[in-house]
Amino acid sequence: MRRTKEEAEKTRADILDAAEQLFANKGVQATSLDQVARAAGVTRGAVYWHFRDKRDLLAALRDRYRPPEVDIMEAALDTRPEDVFEVILAQTRPCLATFAGEESRQRMFTILEQSPPDSGPGPNTEGFGLMVRLMTRAQENGHLAGDLTPVEAALSLVALFRGLMAEWMASDRAFDLPETGTRLIARHMRSLRSIPH
């Protein structure tokens, strides 16, 4: 029984791996479940045993992916720092380096950016909610500029993170993502801070 369960888990992982490759290379809409089955080396029935449809398969891919900015924000929330901007900045370089070094994260970023709007909430929604919480804490601690709401500050930071990753990929890695990304995010965060009196 255990071997059968392990085989089923391996089959599921193989299907997810194949779907990740195909969705990133061909697009979610242009990829059929038959193509996923062939790429995974399984039958179409095996795909349907594990996933109801393409939307369910996409949801499972989302569940196993963690965007680097979510790691940054959870670390900052867990430590309950006085200055959330310092904690975000300390986590930025290693998280961007992880993204730059892992092709699977890059593929998932591509997939999530092109996913249809009706495919359900994903890590971007989670990430934005976490960033709003961090910016709310920055406001409570007197560190957020008075002319910004936590939602506006969060929107600007999430857009900058996503924009940097998207541009790095679109430009065929034309700049050093961890180095340049960290400098630009640090510069932007200075504009979000309150001015000491």
Side-chain angles (χ1 to χ4, degrees):
M1 184 68 177
R2 166 181 260 171
R3 201 171 120 198
T4 303
K5 183 179 177 187
E6 287 170 357
E7 287 171 355
E9 287 171 359
K10 183 185 182 312
T11 298
R12 186 176 193 277
D14 289 345
I15 293 167
L16 286 169
D17 290 344
E20 180 185 296
Q21 291 275 357
L22 288 169
F23 287 174
N25 294 333
K26 297 178 54 137
V28 175
Q29 299 290 10
T31 301
S32 70
L33 292 183
D34 280 338
Q35 291 169 324
V36 172
R38 281 196 301 275
V42 300
T43 64
R44 192 165 188 255
V47 174
Y48 280 106
W49 173 261
H50 291 280
F51 307 101
R52 289 186 307 275
D53 51 27
K54 195 190 297 185
R55 183 180 170 136
D56 191 33
L57 180 54
L58 185 58
L61 280 173
R62 279 192 173 124
D63 288 346
R64 75 175 191 172
Y65 169 69
R66 289 185 57 79
E69 67 271 23
V70 170
D71 292 337
I72 293 170
M73 292 179 278
E74 285 192 343
L77 284 166
D78 287 347
T79 58
R80 297 196 58 80
E82 169 64 23
D83 188 340
V84 297
F85 290 116
E86 284 182 8
V87 175
I88 293 171
L89 191 57
Q91 294 292 324
T92 294
R93 185 184 306 273
C95 287
L96 290 177
T98 298
F99 179 83
E102 292 184 10
E103 290 183 10
S104 180
R105 284 183 186 251
Q106 296 163 30
R107 284 192 296 269
M108 282 306 304
F109 180 83
T110 300
I111 292 165
L112 293 174
E113 290 296 300
Q114 64 167 332
S115 292
D118 66 343
S119 58
N124 290 340
T125 305
E126 177 190 5
F128 183 70
L130 288 169
M131 189 63 87
V132 171
R133 286 173 56 198
L134 280 172
M135 293 301 102
T136 300
R137 186 172 295 168
Q139 184 182 57
E140 290 165 352
N141 292 343
H143 295 150
L144 184 65
D147 62 340
L148 288 171
T149 68
V151 170
E152 291 167 339
L155 178 60
S156 72
L157 278 168
V158 169
L160 181 54
F161 269 106
R162 287 176 62 189
L164 283 165
M165 292 185 287
E167 186 57 33
W168 179 74
M169 293 180 66
S171 70
D172 198 23
R173 287 69 171 160
F175 58 94
D176 184 322
L177 179 62
E179 176 66 27
T180 304
T182 300
R183 280 196 306 105
L184 291 175
I185 288 166
R187 175 66 187 86
H188 179 62
M189 285 198 297
R190 288 196 292 273
S191 74
L192 301 180
R193 284 183 176 277
S194 59
I195 299 169
H197 298 292

